[in-house]
Amino acid sequence: PGGESGDSDSDYPVILVALTHVPTNSGLVNPAEKVGEVVKSCGQPGLPFFLDACQSVGQLEVNVQLVQCDVLSATGRKYLRAPRGTGFLYVRREFVQRLSPLYVDVKSARWSAQNDFELLPNARRFEQFESNIAARLGLGCALRYLMGVGVDRVARQILESSRQLRVLLENLGPEGVKLTDPGETLCGIVTFSVEPPVEASVLASALWERHRIAVSVSKCQATRVDMEQRGLTEVVRASVHYYNTSSELVGFCAAVQTEMARLKAAVTETA
């Protein structure tokens, strides 16, 4: 959109399109393939399209050919369940030459002369000589495990489990639980807010300490623009995976209901 001064869009030339496939604070799935189509047909040849797939790889089918992105980045520690500190980068072969790594060493370039070097012609120009070999092996194991189970099979199960969980949580509306996942297409990340006097961070701690149920809390400081626009300060994030059973989902919601009632009572007693 134009600025507050009324300047038109043309005053701000687009030099890059960057999209987060799935945000950290909700189960929204952005239409990456549709965005890719728009970018490639916008009449601006060579406009780069970068996709952040950190939250989607491992739970959704992601095809760089269908998305038509030039760069895709993903982490290993989320739905892939690989070691922390691992990840991978995809760079379209024709786009590699337009990028230069932040750091260069003997792994990413060839020392061609005393005062000159040549970057490798492929995405390995972004690798470095020193790395955690054990963690990288762990990432490889996680990827092979996922491929063995089947990405499509994993995606279907996660979507079904997340749908079931949202239905169960919606039934806890009278308890002060409100789903906060926007959009038409949703994924395995299920988020919800809780009404005062209960706080999301306090509920998350109670679920772990009293039930050994692990959830995380997404705070406004992590995704300020989105959460401020929606009037949210923090949300509970429950990420289901393909191995979670229906009985576990029911047990989770029962624990949420129990802790909501207990925490409300505790606040009432101290008031």
Side-chain angles (χ1 to χ4, degrees):
E4 294 181 358
S5 63
D7 296 332
S8 66
D9 294 348
S10 60
D11 293 326
Y12 301 92
V14 178
I15 61 174
L16 168 69
V17 175
L19 177 69
T20 298
H21 200 184
V22 174
T24 185
N25 66 321
S26 79
L28 168 70
V29 180
N30 280 312
E33 293 183 16
K34 291 184 178 179
V35 172
E37 292 176 2
V38 171
V39 172
K40 298 308 176 184
S41 61
C42 70
Q44 188 172 335
L47 179 63
F49 177 28
F50 287 21
L51 183 68
D52 172 2
C54 288
Q55 305 283 354
S56 56
V57 167
Q59 67 157 323
L60 300 174
E61 295 185 79
V62 182
N63 187 322
V64 294
Q65 302 303 324
L66 296 178
V67 174
Q68 302 183 75
C69 58
D70 298 295
V71 176
L72 178 145
S73 62
T75 186
R77 69 178 178 85
K78 296 184 181 292
Y79 270 91
L80 286 175
R81 297 179 294 146
R84 178 179 286 273
T86 63
F88 61 85
L89 175 72
Y90 160 82
V91 182
R92 186 169 57 85
R93 191 176 303 277
E94 295 79 10
F95 190 73
V96 170
Q97 302 301 326
R98 294 176 60 180
L99 301 177
S100 298
L102 184 60
Y103 303 104
V104 177
D105 67 7
V106 294
K107 179 76 171 180
S108 58
R110 185 178 70 87
W111 194 5
S112 56
Q114 289 190 22
N115 297 312
D116 197 12
F117 62 88
E118 297 176 1
L119 292 172
L120 294 184
N122 50 38
R124 290 192 180 277
R125 63 173 57 191
F126 301 104
E127 295 185 1
Q128 292 193 320
F129 183 79
E130 292 295 341
S131 64
N132 188 326
I133 302 300
R136 289 172 61 185
L137 290 172
L139 173 62
C141 288
L143 288 165
R144 284 192 294 271
Y145 191 94
L146 172 64
M147 299 302 291
V149 175
V151 179
D152 57 339
R153 182 181 175 191
V154 167
R156 286 196 303 271
Q157 184 58 48
I158 290 176
L159 291 177
E160 173 56 29
S161 294
S162 63
R163 184 200 63 79
Q164 181 182 354
L165 180 56
R166 288 189 177 93
V167 171
L168 292 169
L169 287 170
E170 196 169 25
N171 293 333
L172 297 182
E175 309 298 328
V177 173
K178 181 180 180 180
L179 292 170
T180 56
D181 296 321
E184 298 179 358
T185 304
L186 303 177
C187 65
I189 298 175
V190 180
T191 62
F192 59 93
S193 61
V194 293
E195 293 180 356
V198 180
E199 298 178 359
S201 54
V202 175
L203 174 61
S205 297
L207 289 172
W208 175 250
E209 293 169 0
R210 296 172 63 88
H211 304 272
R212 282 299 182 259
I213 295 176
V215 295
S216 61
V217 176
S218 289
K219 297 181 179 292
C220 182
Q221 65 188 34
T223 52
R224 185 167 296 278
V225 174
D226 173 59
M227 294 188 74
E228 286 185 353
Q229 288 180 346
R230 294 196 284 147
L232 299 170
T233 56
E234 59 179 12
V235 295
V236 179
R237 167 178 153 156
S239 302
V240 298
H241 217 306
Y242 71 87
Y243 50 75
N244 288 122
T245 64
S246 295
S247 61
E248 287 176 335
L249 302 182
V250 172
F252 169 72
C253 291
V256 170
Q257 185 176 25
T258 296
E259 292 309 314
M260 286 293 292
R262 186 185 67 82
L263 292 170
K264 287 180 180 179
V267 172
T268 301
E269 291 176 0
T270 57

